[in-house]
Amino acid sequence: MTFPVLADLVAPVGVSQFFDAVQGRTHQRFPGRAGRFADLLPWSEVNRVLRQYPLEHPRLRLAQGGEVIPAHAYTEVDEARGPAPRLVPAAFTEKMRGGATLVMDSVHELFEPVGELTTALEHELRERVRANLYAGWGVTHGFDVHWDDHDVIIVQISGRKRWRVHGSTRTAPLRRDVELPSPPSSDAVDDFMMEDGDVLYVPRGHWHDVSAVGSESLHLTIGFNRATGVDLVSWLADRVRADEVFRTDLPRFSSPADQEAHAALLRSRVAELMDAGVVGRFLADRDGRAPAIPQVGLPWTATPDLLPADDEAQVRLLTPRAVLTVGPDAVALAAAGKRLVFAAAAGPVLEVLVGSAYHSVKSLVEAGAPALDRATVRALLGELVTQGVVGPR
């Protein structure tokens, strides 16, 4: 199965053009061929998860008319099967027939194709990505006009839904902010139908509302928070702990002149930290600390060999935003909060491995030749497995 990537979602706009002219600036719809996302999240898979997984509220919830329906109206607890509530099919489908919207959070953890998509997008967007599912019928709306504190990419998998975008009333609002955006006027700046195969991008802070139109609709909302100056300053606040000047008590009972002198010293140290390269250092550290995909790789990772014996077996880096630094004598891989240093000869193997795609062990052995033999490449991969940053398929 071929999974979509960012270029597929924003076509015919190029990825670089999307970053330069669309992201963070304006909403944009990208029409597409009906059925092109059918394999990404089939209804049969939605039914399977609803049948097999005891998803608790609020990870699974129903909403209607701007209100969340109480979970006890469509779930029950069977103590013989554990404390987690399970769906009551008749009550659940009755709510859906009545116009409720089904919401399932973090579905990238439940459906492999969606997980592969979010992993690829994390590699390209350089931010942590999550996906929620929305499904509904009828003619009511699940949620009132609202704004999100993160950017969203909407993937219409099946059916259609009406979207109204009202624009932004506060530039770049934050989840923790000093002021909330004021409500928009009743007039939308754009009113359109999302059809099967369409993609929509909406920046954070842009008000919108969504309505069912009397037919089925199944879509993914893929959300991500981009790094801000607030994030950078928070990161610096942790870095200054290494400096004795910042750890020292403030001169509360000193003269105003002494307090001004201390403030000047702090400003000078902050200015040293806020040099021309601070943004790049912060983003690289943010990427290197991004958590790994929770992929276990049994049975192989539980054995001394760590990898399948067959070199046709595939592996991948479990940290889509890993940062590789190549030096003359060594290479360093920053991933999942770790900094792993290897001899320079490992560079070609790691350069192939970095990313979100699977690679065969054979292709990695070929990348390491002639400097590294097969046994050494497999040992390198095994070390990455033990560090939790590589996993076999």
Side-chain angles (χ1 to χ4, degrees):
M1 181 187 299
T2 301
F3 302 105
V5 294
L6 185 59
D8 300 318
L9 300 183
V10 302
V13 172
V15 171
S16 60
Q17 183 182 355
F18 172 77
F19 288 149
D20 292 341
V22 179
Q23 184 174 244
R25 293 171 172 81
T26 183
H27 75 281
Q28 184 161 338
R29 182 167 64 99
F30 306 94
R33 172 183 55 83
R36 64 174 176 149
F37 301 124
D39 293 335
L40 189 61
L41 187 56
W43 281 111
S44 59
E45 282 295 284
V46 176
N47 291 329
R48 179 186 64 80
V49 166
L50 290 173
R51 181 177 70 252
Q52 295 179 352
Y53 287 76
L55 301 175
E56 296 191 54
H57 183 276
R59 187 172 186 182
L60 183 149
R61 59 193 183 275
L62 296 180
Q64 187 169 10
E67 301 289 338
V68 175
I69 299 174
H72 63 76
Y74 55 89
T75 64
E76 65 180 3
V77 175
D78 182 352
E79 295 295 346
R81 302 178 68 179
R86 291 181 176 271
L87 291 180
V88 179
F92 174 77
T93 53
E94 179 184 7
K95 298 296 183 185
M96 297 299 293
R97 283 195 304 273
T101 295
L102 165 66
V103 185
M104 293 172 61
D105 287 350
S106 300
V107 293
H108 55 285
E109 300 174 348
L110 302 173
F111 305 99
E112 182 177 3
V114 179
E116 294 296 336
L117 171 60
T118 56
T119 297
L121 290 178
E122 180 170 342
H123 175 63
E124 296 181 280
L125 295 168
R126 311 307 292 178
E127 300 293 354
R128 194 169 187 180
V129 177
R130 59 178 293 171
N132 295 342
L133 172 156
Y134 293 80
W137 290 259
V139 294
T140 62
H141 67 282
F143 301 95
D144 292 330
V145 180
H146 66 282
W147 62 275
D148 296 313
D149 61 9
H150 52 273
D151 290 17
V152 294
I153 297 175
I154 311 300
V155 178
Q156 189 71 31
I157 295 174
S158 177
R160 59 207 305 256
K161 212 158 195 180
R162 182 189 179 190
W163 280 73
R164 298 201 314 155
V165 180
H166 302 262
S168 174
T169 59
R170 176 174 171 79
T171 302
L174 300 171
R175 177 180 301 177
R176 292 177 55 204
D177 209 335
V178 296
E179 181 182 336
L180 291 176
S182 58
S185 65
S186 58
D187 295 331
V189 299
D190 203 357
D191 188 334
F192 54 90
M193 200 73 67
M194 281 285 287
E195 304 282 357
D196 183 339
D198 289 354
V199 173
L200 171 67
Y201 167 76
V202 181
R204 84 172 189 267
H206 284 231
W207 294 83
H208 57 276
D209 64 284
V210 189
S211 300
V213 292
S215 61
E216 74 169 68
S217 174
L218 174 63
H219 77 257
L220 289 175
T221 294
I222 300 170
F224 56 99
N225 286 98
R226 293 187 294 136
T228 68
V230 173
D231 297 317
L232 188 151
V233 171
S234 297
W235 175 77
L236 281 179
D238 286 332
R239 297 299 173 279
V240 299
R241 299 176 196 277
D243 190 330
E244 180 181 341
V245 170
F246 286 94
R247 297 198 310 272
T248 300
D249 299 341
L250 294 175
R252 176 185 291 273
F253 300 110
S254 297
S255 67
D258 287 342
Q259 291 182 351
E260 290 175 8
H262 192 81
L265 179 59
L266 293 177
R267 282 198 304 273
S268 67
R269 295 297 177 87
V270 170
E272 292 174 6
L273 292 171
M274 293 286 284
D275 61 10
V278 67
V279 172
R281 291 197 306 275
F282 162 63
L283 294 175
D285 187 73
R286 180 180 171 93
D287 287 344
R289 294 181 181 277
I293 302 165
Q295 181 174 314
V296 178
L298 295 177
W300 313 111
T301 53
T303 69
D305 292 334
L306 298 170
L307 296 169
D310 184 2
D311 282 358
E312 295 299 330
Q314 294 186 322
V315 299
R316 76 164 167 196
L317 205 61
L318 301 179
T319 49
R321 290 155 55 194
V323 178
L324 183 65
T325 304
V326 180
D329 302 315
V331 291
L333 181 71
K338 303 175 182 180
R339 187 173 185 271
L340 308 173
V341 180
F342 302 95
V349 176
L350 296 174
E351 287 175 352
V352 172
L353 194 59
V354 168
S356 63
Y358 280 98
H359 301 278
S360 69
V361 174
K362 179 181 178 181
S363 69
L364 296 170
V365 169
E366 292 172 349
L372 302 179
D373 59 18
R374 174 181 180 274
T376 304
V377 172
R378 289 182 65 91
L380 169 63
L381 295 175
E383 175 61 22
L384 294 173
V385 169
T386 63
Q387 295 294 331
V389 297
V390 161
R393 195 167 205 166

